[in-house]
Amino acid sequence: MTTTRTRAVRTRGGLSVRLDVRAFTVVVMLLVAALAASVVLIGTGDFPIPAADVLKTLVGNGNAGQEFIVNDLRLPRVLVGLLVGASLGLGGALFQSISRNPLGSPDVLGLGQGSTAGALIMIVLFSGSANQVALGALVGGLVTGLAIYLLAWKRGVHGYRLVLVGIGVSAIVTAVNGYLLTKADIVDAARAVVWMTGSLNGRDWAQVWPLLALCAVLVPLVLGNARGLRMMEMGDDVSYALGVRVERVRLLLMLAAVLLTAGATAAAGPVGFVALTSPQLARRLTRSPGPNLVPSMCMGATLLIVADWASQRAFGADQLPVGVLTGVLGGIYLLWLLVTERKAGRI
């Protein structure tokens, strides 16, 4: 059975997969855009490298200087950007689908603030190393996610209660972060503020491998439960009737979303609004009502890489941390989203 939108693809082994042609096309286009932007970004800097030379260097045909600049300095930064963007896009899609609310993203629910609290504790109280700060951010995100889940629980976790509890927890954790900054000495406070802006500056292979391993475990786990997540969007009663173990799937996917968000924050700091905007933009491109997990992941990676390029090139000699640019653009998008949701009568 085929339609202009959905096509059944059958393998020789008899396996049949339904393929959304438009969503597949969007994913391919986003992947091409992300890879093209990555090549341009690798060639951008004080020592510009043409795109053709970047590609030759990546396959091992560059000179010694190009190999050092590309492989040791710029490629890790780009890979961290792709992984962070993909993690935030996927985490945002999971939270918005579970809460059935476009505002149900890690930015609004306070997971970024929780990770920030964990990092600040390591910086301010223990003067921790970079690895200890990253571990603190990961633990802070997990603790915050667990607190939100437990406080939102009442015979299950439901959309608006999850968002409201998340907003309340976010306000509390933000106040704690402010208190920690007031107690820090000037050196630790400056270090904390730099980390809190969200930046890809100075990222190397030490940030690539842990985040890559995390994504390698969690992405297949999430995609393996995509069918249950799609069923849950029709409501818990319908999902139970269709054989979905709702609370088990919800808890598993929320844990995955928290880990993805906390891992991304640990690698690059709190990069704002990528998790909020990526699923919504992906949904508008695919025109699909489902969770759009893979398109959201690709959109997040593309957005962050393009934002990082713009933060380096769009303001002349002044280079902005990528978190500043995504925060400004994401804030504008959030205001637009609130206006449209209000006009539609959903808030």
Side-chain angles (χ1 to χ4, degrees):
M1 176 181 178
T2 61
T3 66
T4 57
R5 178 177 177 82
T6 305
R7 182 170 300 171
V9 179
R10 294 179 175 84
T11 66
R12 293 181 179 180
L15 179 65
S16 179
V17 179
R18 294 183 65 188
L19 178 66
D20 188 320
V21 177
R22 183 181 179 91
F24 179 77
T25 303
V26 168
V27 167
V28 171
M29 292 175 63
L30 288 173
L31 286 175
V32 171
L35 293 176
S38 298
V39 171
V40 172
L41 184 57
I42 290 174
T44 299
D46 293 334
F47 298 95
I49 302 175
D53 290 340
V54 170
L55 293 174
K56 287 197 303 183
T57 304
L58 289 174
V59 297
N61 294 325
N63 59 46
Q66 289 173 339
E67 288 185 358
F68 173 73
I69 293 172
V70 171
N71 296 329
D72 294 340
L73 299 182
R74 296 179 184 172
L75 179 60
R77 173 186 177 132
V78 170
L79 290 177
V80 170
L82 290 171
L83 290 170
V84 167
S87 299
L88 292 175
L90 182 56
L94 288 172
F95 273 115
Q96 290 182 18
S97 182
I98 290 171
S99 65
R100 297 198 288 272
N101 190 320
L103 297 178
S105 82
D107 306 290
V108 178
L109 297 180
L111 293 176
Q113 289 85 344
S115 294
T116 300
L120 286 178
I121 289 173
M122 297 306 298
I123 293 173
V124 174
L125 301 183
F126 301 102
S127 298
S129 64
N131 289 334
Q132 290 171 331
V133 171
L135 179 61
L138 186 63
V139 173
L142 283 172
V143 171
T144 305
L146 177 62
I148 293 171
Y149 184 85
L150 293 177
L151 291 173
W153 175 271
K154 185 180 180 182
R155 294 189 297 274
V157 175
H158 302 285
Y160 277 102
R161 187 163 64 244
L162 180 68
V163 174
L164 291 174
V165 169
I167 292 172
V169 171
S170 175
I172 295 171
V173 178
T174 300
V176 172
N177 292 343
Y179 173 77
L180 288 172
L181 283 175
T182 63
K183 292 298 181 181
D185 61 46
I186 188 65
V187 175
D188 287 338
R191 181 184 173 199
V193 169
V194 169
W195 188 89
M196 290 171 63
T197 58
S199 175
L200 297 176
N201 292 335
R203 297 305 182 264
D204 56 25
W205 292 104
Q207 285 81 41
V208 173
W209 299 120
L211 189 54
L212 181 61
L214 189 68
C215 290
V217 173
L218 294 179
V219 171
L221 177 66
V222 169
L223 297 182
N225 286 275
R227 179 181 176 276
L229 183 63
R230 182 182 290 271
M231 297 296 181
M232 286 164 54
E233 289 192 339
M234 296 186 292
D236 289 0
D237 293 338
V238 175
S239 301
Y240 278 119
L242 294 172
V244 178
R245 300 174 66 180
V246 173
E247 287 305 325
R248 178 181 177 275
V249 172
R250 183 180 285 129
L251 178 60
L252 181 65
L253 293 181
M254 282 189 65
L255 177 60
V258 169
L259 283 171
L260 286 167
T261 304
T265 305
V271 180
F273 291 104
V274 174
L276 175 69
T277 58
S278 297
Q280 294 301 311
L281 293 176
R283 178 168 296 191
R284 281 162 173 76
L285 288 176
T286 62
R287 298 178 185 173
S288 172
N292 289 289
L293 299 179
V294 176
S296 299
M297 188 166 53
C298 296
M299 177 62 75
T302 304
L303 280 179
L304 193 55
I305 287 298
V306 172
D308 191 35
W309 176 86
S311 67
Q312 293 186 51
R313 306 300 296 176
F315 301 94
D318 297 325
Q319 293 189 9
L320 294 178
V322 68
V324 174
L325 186 59
T326 60
V328 172
L329 298 178
I332 295 172
Y333 175 82
L334 177 59
L335 291 175
W336 174 83
L337 182 62
L338 289 170
V339 171
T340 55
E341 290 292 303
R342 182 186 176 103
K343 288 183 178 178
R346 289 190 285 267
I347 60 175

